[in-house]
Amino acid sequence: MIRVLLAEDQGMMRGALALLLGMEPDIEVVAQVARGDEIVDAALLARPDVALLDIELPGRSGLDAAADLRDQVPECRVLILTTFGRPGYLRRAMEAGAAGFLVKDGPVEELAEAVRKALRGETVIDPALAAAALSAGPNPLTGRERDALAASVDGATIADIAASLHLSESTVRNYLSSAIGKTGTRNRMEAVRAARRQGWL
């Protein structure tokens, strides 16, 4: 049996996925979590062969959790399953060591087959998304620019961002200014929206 961990914050979607995958003769869902910061603990406990992770989860993103799984549960293959087929997300998923990237609107047979392929060591990527990622090019933002933008999301002040990132206010202003320039926007909130659209945040 292929042991699967599901990380999805919407209860109905998580239940439906577990039910549908459970109907496959060779797949067993051994753990389900609703938060990104519960993924690694659940994987250490259940020892799944494959983890199906949503990206936008409370507590920690599925992309960050994928990198944690690579380091702490290396035998577990990761498939990112998301509503948001953004090119930047695909790049980040691959950098985090994911074995595949699928959008949620595909048929369940494809998902079950993707789980099997991941376990065989194959890489599974939605073809339309792969093409979009190639044409979009790499993420131009540095790690620190991404951190500064991410810390701006809730309208935090420069002082708040500086304190949370342990940086000076002038350094934060420089990172934000650079991110605004790279995204071709007029202010940091526009930069946040543009970066999210591309999957860079």
Side-chain angles (χ1 to χ4, degrees):
M1 291 292 278
I2 304 171
R3 297 166 60 79
V4 172
L5 176 149
L6 273 179
E8 163 63 58
D9 61 330
Q10 295 177 14
M12 192 178 289
M13 172 69 81
R14 188 173 64 251
L17 283 170
L19 189 65
L20 290 165
L21 286 170
M23 292 168 74
E24 297 291 322
D26 57 341
I27 295 175
E28 179 187 8
V29 176
V30 295
Q32 298 181 44
V33 297
R35 296 178 55 86
D37 50 12
E38 295 172 350
I39 291 170
V40 173
D41 288 343
L44 286 167
L45 200 62
R47 291 291 170 182
D49 301 305
V50 178
L52 282 176
L53 310 183
D54 191 10
I55 290 179
E56 298 192 355
L57 294 166
R60 189 159 178 74
S61 86
L63 294 172
D64 292 333
D68 294 341
L69 284 176
R70 178 188 58 202
D71 297 337
Q72 296 182 50
V73 194
E75 69 278 10
C76 177
R77 303 280 286 165
V78 173
L79 286 174
I80 300 292
L81 185 64
T82 183
T83 309
F84 306 103
R86 296 173 180 155
Y89 280 168
L90 172 57
R91 281 183 183 277
R92 287 171 57 199
M94 296 297 106
E95 287 165 6
F101 194 103
L102 303 163
V103 286
K104 287 180 186 171
D105 59 4
V108 72
E109 297 81 15
E110 277 182 21
L111 179 59
E113 190 52 35
V115 167
R116 295 181 189 106
K117 284 180 176 176
L119 192 63
R120 292 197 297 263
E122 297 177 40
T123 301
V124 189
I125 297 172
D126 181 88
L129 190 60
L134 285 171
S135 64
N139 178 354
L141 301 174
T142 66
R144 275 312 203 177
E145 288 164 358
R146 283 200 306 267
D147 292 344
L149 277 183
S152 305
V153 167
D154 297 321
T157 66
I158 296 290
D160 293 336
I161 298 167
S164 70
L165 298 179
H166 308 292
L167 297 169
S168 71
E169 291 184 28
S170 63
T171 301
V172 167
R173 280 193 193 88
N174 288 340
Y175 285 139
L176 289 173
S177 175
S178 178
I180 290 165
K182 287 178 179 179
T183 53
T185 52
R186 293 173 299 180
N187 58 52
R188 62 180 159 136
M189 294 325 291
E190 282 186 14
V192 166
R193 284 194 292 274
R196 278 189 158 165
R197 255 195 321 275
Q198 290 293 333
W200 295 337
L201 274 191

